[in-house]
Amino acid sequence: MLLYQTLEKQLKKEPNFVTDNGELKKWVVIYKAQNYDAELIGLLLDDKELKAKFFLNIKGVLVFNQSLLIQFLEQKNYLNDSYTAYKNKVGLNIDGKYLKQRNEVTLVWPFKDCVLEGGQSNEEDKREEIFFNETLAQDEITQLLEPKVLTNAKRFNDKGEKTLVKFNRNSEGRITDNLIIKGNNLLTLHTLKDEFANQIKLIYIDPPYNTGNDSFKYNDTFNRSTWLTFMRNRLVAAKELLTNDGLICIQCDDNENAYLKILLDEIFENGFLNNVAVKMSEASGVKMNHAKSRFPKLKEYILIYKMPAFKGFVAVDKYEQKEWDSENNIFLENLTKEEREQLIELEAKEVNDDQDVISANKILKKVKKISLSKKLKEIEIENEDEINNWLFENSYRIIKTAGSSSLATLVKSLDSIPTQDIASAVSKKGILFFYITDFNRETKQPRFQVIFADSNIYKNPCDFWQDIKTTGAISDEGNVKLSNGKKPEKILYRLIKMATHASDIVLDYHLGSGTTAAVAHKMKRQYIGAEQLDYGENDSVIRLKNVINGDSTGCSSYEDINWTGGGEFVYFELKKFNQHFIERIESAKDKKTVLGIWEEMKLKSFLNYNVDLQKQEEHIEEFKALSLAEQKEHLIELLDKNQLYVNLSSLNDKDFAVSAEEKKATQDFYQIKK
Ligand SMILES: C[S@@+](CC[C@H](N)C(=O)[O-])C[C@H]1O[C@@H](n2cnc3c(N)ncnc32)[C@H](O)[C@@H]1O
């Protein structure tokens, strides 16, 4: 076999490298080669000939000859579909190479290669953050991102709260408890890595929008850079938690939508699915006073990205459409809602087989057909509103038939045509159809593909969500308040419904007042919520306690939820160390308190290695003369930022005084044998 044939055959083993027509996606392979993609290199190594050709052996170590593979793929005789010098692609080009291919066009910003801890813990704080450079400050970053010790772990259920005894786990050993975690969200994501890598099906976040007035108050000079660094650090960590078929949805507004899209394109390569516009306010109130200067802002965005093996939405949330055409419909007298769901599920399965036909036919066999107009006469309701209500309520058992020539061919090819009124069959492509059997092999224009009314009397929201109410009752949802940025439960209901099955896990690491967790709880999905800001009486824990006690707001009354209470969750915090001092310094109201904290810091905190305690004491009078703000700044500067939280590796270190209870919860979480 020629080398290029061997290469093509080997690369085609990876479905992502093959087009729907079965051709090799050479440009994808080239892009992967440029990025030293592990899957691609693995495939090459699996073949003896390719291993010999595209790797150099240097002192027993194989080094990938990237440029040779790229050159080889770009050769004219290999690119047999490249009959013009301008490859089959539109794009900007320098010296014959596309900019994207040259890896020369990316979004860059100051501090992109840095890690920003982002330790704000209440909305009023404003702090200048340290940027740790990824290359130069490797040790600091490793320490910063090391998993943390847990504290204050409690289990909440309808009997109240109790100190956590043990996490619940499934047969694979993975935690099955819902988790609410208090602590810096970057460090939380890294703390979750061991337990939940590749386990989360859906991430929704509603981060600070960087409006200039919101709670993102780190750095005025490099505001956008700070925000992008903050987002990137967290998104890169969050991606590791997603399953290979997972989704991430990020809500934002005009301030950062364009920059965020480019950042996401870089992190979730080829993952872009939608940029949904969501109507988030009404054309009323103060904003209309400024209508002359610019169009008032009513919408926000939800950027949706998928992981490579994403297979499509589980279900699509629908909302009512008012017009109703009841002509030519058939009423399926004795079909139940559950049976209709089973039929649709069978129909939606990607690969259908004889067993699916047997299962579908079993349901269809018992179905009794009657024309809808006859049924309406039978039930004797005449008022138009009542008829409409009845039609909506019964739409799951109303069908229409439509012509389908492909189905005609399929049915004609069956050995025997099933005799019941409605039957099902599988096409060659593996699609399950339902059809009406008042049909014979001679019928020229058969009309028999079944269309269920409830799939058609509702609108698909598509990528423009204007049907969700964002005013009025939203502020009371969950019985907690969040003046700025609380999201309607309906948004989360829609996302969780469309992206997850009952066994999937949902994560929100900007939990705020807990909307995501509350909806996931009511929808019986496992969830993890993380929050670092202190929301006091409007905390997500308070909201979830309300949910357990039968909260009736938000999506509780939805037909498929019908929430009456129950369930449980586990709460814990990441154990703070120097962070604790920082928070106390920041909230100190007078110099006396600051001085008291300094006395304690001398005994208990970790100071930077170059701080000379004796010198600090010698200059204490000068310190006292500083303004309150200057004193605070000075003390925070003295603290070692590597010791903000207690690292797992310090669990048994006496200096950090980890209690027996904290040790127990931490060891159980990380499954550390004592
Ligand atoms: C608008 S709230 C999210 C509200 C939430 N979706 C809800 O419905 O309640 C924004 C989130 O970003 C987080 N956040 C804001 N500023 C932050 C900062 N400087 N550092 C870390 N997180 C921040 C807040 O803690 C909050 O979780």
Side-chain angles (χ1 to χ4, degrees), residues 598 612-623:
W598 167 236
D612 182 339
L613 262 188
Q614 208 180 332
K615 269 215 177 106
Q616 295 291 324
E617 283 305 294
E618 279 166 21
H619 294 278
I620 193 74
E621 290 310 315
E622 287 164 47
F623 176 74

Side-chain angles (χ1 to χ4, degrees), residues 116-122 125 127 129 184-185 218 230 234 532-533 576 579 582-583 586 644-645:
L116 175 85
E117 190 247 346
Q120 191 169 297
S121 60
N122 76 60
D125 282 355
R127 52 203 262 186
E129 280 282 325
N184 175 296
N185 55 9
Y218 290 128
F230 171 87
R234 282 147 186 80
Q532 73 188 71
L533 299 197
K576 290 172 183 168
Q579 177 73 23
I582 292 183
E583 282 164 24
E586 276 167 348
L644 295 175
Y645 287 78

Side-chain angles (χ1 to χ4, degrees), residues 280-397:
M280 290 299 296
S281 65
E282 299 299 323
S284 60
V286 187
K287 76 162 78 63
M288 297 315 287
N289 298 344
H290 306 288
K292 268 194 172 168
S293 48
R294 65 167 163 183
F295 298 130
K297 177 180 151 222
L298 297 187
K299 65 169 192 331
E300 290 182 6
Y301 306 95
I302 302 178
L303 279 158
I304 306 182
Y305 278 71
K306 65 179 166 82
M307 291 293 279
F310 174 73
K311 297 227 170 49
F313 295 124
V314 171
V316 179
D317 183 29
K318 301 163 288 189
Y319 62 97
E320 287 175 18
Q321 179 180 323
K322 288 299 164 209
E323 304 89 51
W324 172 266
D325 152 35
S326 64
E327 290 296 301
N328 301 323
N329 288 302
I330 301 166
F331 185 72
L332 304 180
E333 189 76 68
N334 43 1
L335 184 77
T336 65
K337 263 193 181 158
E338 291 70 31
E339 287 165 343
R340 186 266 178 215
E341 284 304 320
Q342 284 168 26
L343 286 176
I344 294 299
E345 240 171 66
L346 285 168
E347 200 184 23
K349 270 170 72 171
E350 216 164 70
V351 180
N352 294 286
D353 53 26
D354 290 350
Q355 190 47 51
D356 291 337
V357 178
I358 294 167
S359 311
N361 282 347
K362 211 164 149 191
I363 297 171
L364 295 169
K365 208 169 192 164
K366 56 157 268 210
V367 163
K368 201 173 136 211
K369 279 190 318 181
I370 156 171
S371 89
L372 182 60
S373 49
K374 222 174 183 177
K375 182 70 192 174
L376 287 172
K377 273 191 204 124
E378 205 180 284
I379 55 171
E380 291 179 356
I381 39 176
E382 274 154 29
N383 172 305
E384 204 175 315
D385 280 351
E386 277 179 37
I387 292 181
N388 269 334
N389 284 342
W390 186 90
L391 288 171
F392 266 114
E393 268 168 33
N394 290 280
S395 59
Y396 67 93
R397 47 183 164 167

Side-chain angles (χ1 to χ4, degrees), residues 126-319:
K126 178 176 175 76
R127 52 203 262 186
E128 293 291 325
E129 280 282 325
I130 302 179
F131 290 91
F132 294 110
N133 184 286
E134 279 172 0
T135 318
L136 305 179
Q138 233 351 293
D139 291 347
E140 283 85 348
I141 292 176
T142 310
Q143 277 207 38
L144 180 73
L145 303 183
E146 208 189 282
K148 303 295 176 235
V149 168
L150 277 45
T151 183
N152 204 11
K154 292 182 265 191
R155 183 177 293 281
F156 287 80
N157 57 26
D158 58 358
K159 293 184 188 67
E161 58 180 272
K162 260 194 168 163
T163 302
L164 179 78
V165 179
K166 220 172 174 351
F167 288 97
N168 290 315
R169 293 179 186 270
N170 63 14
S171 56
E172 276 112 53
R174 198 202 66 214
I175 291 177
T176 51
D177 288 310
N178 299 319
L179 305 178
I180 297 295
I181 307 168
K182 184 82 189 292
N184 175 296
N185 55 9
L186 177 67
L187 311 189
T188 301
L189 289 169
H190 283 276
T191 289
L192 290 171
K193 230 162 48 182
D194 271 357
E195 184 68 22
F196 291 99
N198 303 115
Q199 299 290 328
I200 309 288
K201 182 68 195 293
L202 173 69
I203 298 179
Y204 167 85
I205 52 161
D206 173 23
Y209 291 175
N210 204 16
T211 58
N213 295 319
D214 64 12
S215 47
F216 193 73
K217 290 180 183 147
Y218 290 128
N219 192 316
D220 289 338
T221 327
F222 290 104
N223 182 272
R224 172 157 288 137
S225 299
T226 313
W227 189 86
L228 285 168
T229 306
F230 171 87
M231 291 299 289
R232 181 176 174 274
N233 297 156
R234 282 147 186 80
L235 287 166
V236 168
K239 186 181 173 193
E240 284 189 47
L241 303 182
L242 278 173
T243 56
N244 210 23
D245 61 350
L247 272 192
I248 181 161
C249 305
I250 302 156
Q251 186 143 356
C252 65
D253 74 359
D254 296 313
N255 283 286
E256 297 295 353
N257 178 57
Y259 287 90
L260 181 60
K261 165 99 179 31
I262 298 175
L263 175 67
L264 289 164
D265 283 342
E266 188 179 307
I267 299 172
F268 295 90
E269 183 200 333
N270 297 326
F272 176 70
L273 266 192
N274 283 112
N275 190 7
V276 174
V278 206
K279 180 162 170 275
M280 290 299 296
S281 65
E282 299 299 323
S284 60
V286 187
K287 76 162 78 63
M288 297 315 287
N289 298 344
H290 306 288
K292 268 194 172 168
S293 48
R294 65 167 163 183
F295 298 130
K297 177 180 151 222
L298 297 187
K299 65 169 192 331
E300 290 182 6
Y301 306 95
I302 302 178
L303 279 158
I304 306 182
Y305 278 71
K306 65 179 166 82
M307 291 293 279
F310 174 73
K311 297 227 170 49
F313 295 124
V314 171
V316 179
D317 183 29
K318 301 163 288 189
Y319 62 97

Side-chain angles (χ1 to χ4, degrees), residues 13-50:
K13 288 185 181 164
E14 167 52 52
N16 288 329
F17 295 165
V18 188
T19 67
D20 289 344
N21 302 330
E23 277 163 24
L24 187 68
K25 293 179 184 169
K26 288 156 218 154
W27 299 110
V28 171
V29 178
I30 289 173
Y31 183 77
K32 297 270 177 190
Q34 281 163 339
N35 290 291
Y36 294 97
D37 180 78
E39 219 152 12
L40 170 66
I41 295 176
L43 273 178
L44 298 174
L45 285 170
D46 286 345
D47 184 278
K48 229 170 124 191
E49 203 183 339
L50 300 175

Side-chain angles (χ1 to χ4, degrees), residues 32-92:
K32 297 270 177 190
Q34 281 163 339
N35 290 291
Y36 294 97
D37 180 78
E39 219 152 12
L40 170 66
I41 295 176
L43 273 178
L44 298 174
L45 285 170
D46 286 345
D47 184 278
K48 229 170 124 191
E49 203 183 339
L50 300 175
K51 187 169 158 183
K53 173 80 183 172
F54 295 112
F55 291 84
L56 306 170
N57 191 328
I58 302 173
K59 291 196 172 177
V61 175
L62 289 183
V63 178
F64 175 41
N65 194 339
Q66 178 206 47
S67 60
L68 184 67
L69 179 73
I70 294 173
Q71 266 173 32
F72 190 78
L73 287 165
E74 286 181 336
Q75 277 180 66
K76 205 164 175 241
N77 63 354
Y78 180 66
L79 288 175
N80 47 6
D81 53 353
S82 169
Y83 36 77
T84 127
Y86 298 100
K87 301 170 181 161
N88 300 325
K89 193 171 165 182
V90 177
L92 300 175

